[in-house]
Structures are given as structure tokens and as C-alpha cells.
Amino acid sequence: MFALGALAMAAALAVTTYVLSQRYLLEQRERLATRQTYLDARAVRDGLAANDDQPAEVLSGLEVSEDRQALLQLGGQWYTTGVGAGEHAIPARLRALVAAGDAGRQRFDFRDQTSLVVGVPIAGVDGAFFQVFSLAELDRTLSVIRGSLLAAAAATTVGAALLGAWVARLALRPVNDVSTAAARITTGDLSARLDSQSDPDLERVVSSFNSMADALEQRIERDARFVSDVSHELRSPLTTLAASADVVQRGVAASSPRVREAVTLMVGEVERFKNMVQELLELSRAEADVDPLQLEPIGLGDLIVYVTTRYRTEPLVVAIDQEVSETMLELDKRRVERILVNLLENARTHGRGAVGVSARRRGDWVRIEVDDGGPGVPVSQRSTIFDRFHRGSLGGQRVADGSTGLGLALVAEHARVHGGAVHVEDRPEGPGARFVVELPWRPA
């Protein structure tokens, strides 16, 4: 907008300046030419009065040049000071005007250039005097003015564009800062804050944003501590309850089938509850950043082979790139092992078992893929499948597989703590889902 406004103003100013300059210079040139013609016509009249038999000599006494030529019409004869100038050089309209006894002037093209001719009648000798003035110098002056105005308009437009860009960046910088801080908070960085501003209006926005971020961080920390505290307090009674349930189960061997079935269900639910509490505790500790990342050099290929051996199913194909196998990476072994175990458990529970595990380097990332042979994950659920307690179409129903809906949430959280990410896509080789974990490539 700065550039367009400057261009419009510069163009209007340039056109106005050029038109006024052209009019002024042309009028000035015409006045000078008219005055000079009258002076020369008087000299010719006086010369003819003194020596009327030699009009050519009278004309030769005038001071003329290549840019100014004089013509004299006397008794039907034409006399000129320049070669090529004659009766045909004077526009017929102007000749008729002067012949009628009136003075006049007219611009016309003569010898491929713009010229001005001024004609005045010479009283008493039945003659007419004309002078042709070249306007080439005036055209060159106007050309220089035109070029200067165009250059000034272009420079003004470029300068306005640069000024507009600088002003726009200056004005939008606080908005960009807010957007950047909001994006950081969205990705989990609750420490993002805005710097103080000297502008009082912007300072109110900064203060409100920082207060909101503080309140959000405190609320999330309280929620995380609450879940962590509850989970921790439940561990002891759950352990006692699980042990008691196990004792009860061993003591009902001679009871009726209904009693044994009820006890078996109770033991299974207690075990599921215990697992859920343990996973909630682990997840809350990770989210509250009270369980720091413990990086150590590990052989990722060896770890994958070790974990998949424990969950061996047929046909399970393990493919490790040579670069991954030969490189020790800085990773948290416990978290990576947890990622692999949870993905394999998820494949066993919901995907009819894992059919492939692979690891390869992709630029600055190491990509771990776990394929299953299940029906796949609908596109509508891929953005929420890593949420806590998400079980797709089975959400809210009691399932017999003992899952808690926290396994994939733990995978996402452990990947995030590493600085990586996780997503799910279709398996290219056929039906099924492919869970992809990307972790930073940090050679030890």
C-alpha cells in the first residue's frame, strides 16, 4: 500500500510537473520568438526603405543560425536565408493569415523536427516576413525533464516500498511474537512468554498474554501433580488388593464355577486397574517433566532385536539399516524400550499382531516403523489415537483385552521428551497400520 500510494502520488506529481514545465517553456519560447521576429521585421522594413532594390542583401544583414531562418515575401517573390527553406516551408494557413494583414505563429514539423514559425505583415511594401525557429533544443530539455521525473517517481516508489516493508514488520512484530509464543505453548513449551513492550497499548496485550500463559501452566502443573499424587497413593492399596485377590483365587479352587468365574473376573480387573495406575503415574511424571531424559549411548538395532525377540510372532520381519546398526545413538534406553513394547502390545491387541519392525535414518532423524496386520486406523481417528484413553470405536466400552488406552499416549509422550514425534499411516504393502516414531539422530 505504501508503494501503490507513492506510485500514484509520484505519477500525478510527475505528470503535473511535466505539463506545467512544457507549457511554461513553450510559452516562453514563443514569446521570445515573436519578439525576435518583430525586431527582425522592423529591421527588414527599414532596410527595404533605404535600399528597396536589394531585398536579399537586407535579409543577409540579419543574425540567423541553423536553428533560425528568415523568409521574406515581397511582390510575389520569396527570399530566404537558408538552403531548402522556401514558400513550401511555411504552412498555407499561416501564409493566408499574414497575407490578410494579421500576424500569427504556428508549430509544425520541418525537416523531421518540431519547429515554430512566426509571420508578420510588413506594411507599406506589400510584403510579409517569416522566421522559422527550431524547437529541437526545447524537445531535448523536455526529454531530460521527463526522464528525471520518471526516475524520481521510480525511486520514490521503491523507497516507499522499502519504508512500507520496514513499517509493516515493525507494526506486525508484536503480532508475530504472540503467534510464535502461542505456537510454542501449543507444542507443549509452557515457558513461552512475551517480552515487555515500550508501547503502553502493546504492554497491556503482553501482560494479558503472559498472565494467561502463567495461569495455563499452573493449571496443567496442578492437574499433572494431582494425577501423579493420586496414582502414587493408589499403588500401595492396589498392590495389597492384587495380592489379596490372588490369595482368594487360589482358595476357591473347590468352589462352584460361578464363584471361580467371579473371582477370575475380579483378579483380571484388579490387574488391569493396577496397570492403568502405573501407566498414569508414568505418563503424569513425563508430562510434568519430573522424570528427566537420561541420554546414553545405545545400539538401537540391538535394542530392537532384543525387544522384538520377546514379542516374537510369525511372520514378524525385522529390518535394520546398516547405518543404524553400526551407529551408537544418544537415546534414553528405558523410554525407547517402552515405545517399542507399547507399539508391539498395541499391534497384538488391536492389529492382529505385528508383522514388521524397521529402523532407518532419514536426514536428521532415525525413523522406527512398526507394521501390524489389522484393519488399519481410519483417517478421522489418526489425530486423536495418541490421546489418553482413546480406543476408537470401542471407546467407553469394557473390553476383554485388558488394555487401558494409555499405551499410545505414553509412546507420544516419550517421543516428545526426546524431541521427536509419532504418527500413524497406512501400511504400503497391504492392509494394516504403520506406526512411525521419529527420534533425533544424535550419534554418540
Side-chain angles (χ1 to χ4, degrees), residues 176-260:
N176 293 333
D177 292 343
V178 171
S179 176
T180 302
R184 289 174 56 189
I185 292 176
T186 302
T187 57
D189 183 6
L190 299 179
S191 63
R193 297 294 186 273
L194 297 178
D195 296 331
S196 179
Q197 299 289 329
S198 58
D199 190 329
D201 295 327
L202 293 178
E203 181 61 28
R204 287 197 295 269
V205 175
V206 170
S207 177
S208 299
F209 183 91
N210 289 340
S211 298
M212 178 193 67
D214 290 337
L216 178 63
E217 183 179 18
Q218 293 171 6
R219 176 62 181 272
I220 292 177
E221 288 179 352
R222 285 198 303 268
D223 292 346
R225 285 197 301 269
F226 174 77
V227 175
S228 178
D229 293 342
V230 170
S231 302
H232 181 75
E233 293 299 326
L234 286 175
R235 292 180 67 183
S236 296
L238 274 176
T239 301
T240 303
L241 185 59
S244 300
D246 185 60
V247 172
V248 171
Q249 186 179 29
R250 288 197 298 268
V252 297
S255 301
S256 65
R258 293 188 60 184
V259 173
R260 289 198 302 271

Side-chain angles (χ1 to χ4, degrees), residues 425-439:
E425 58 190 38
D426 292 328
R427 188 164 69 96
E429 294 80 3
R434 168 173 289 177
F435 287 81
V436 180
V437 180
E438 293 181 328
L439 302 177

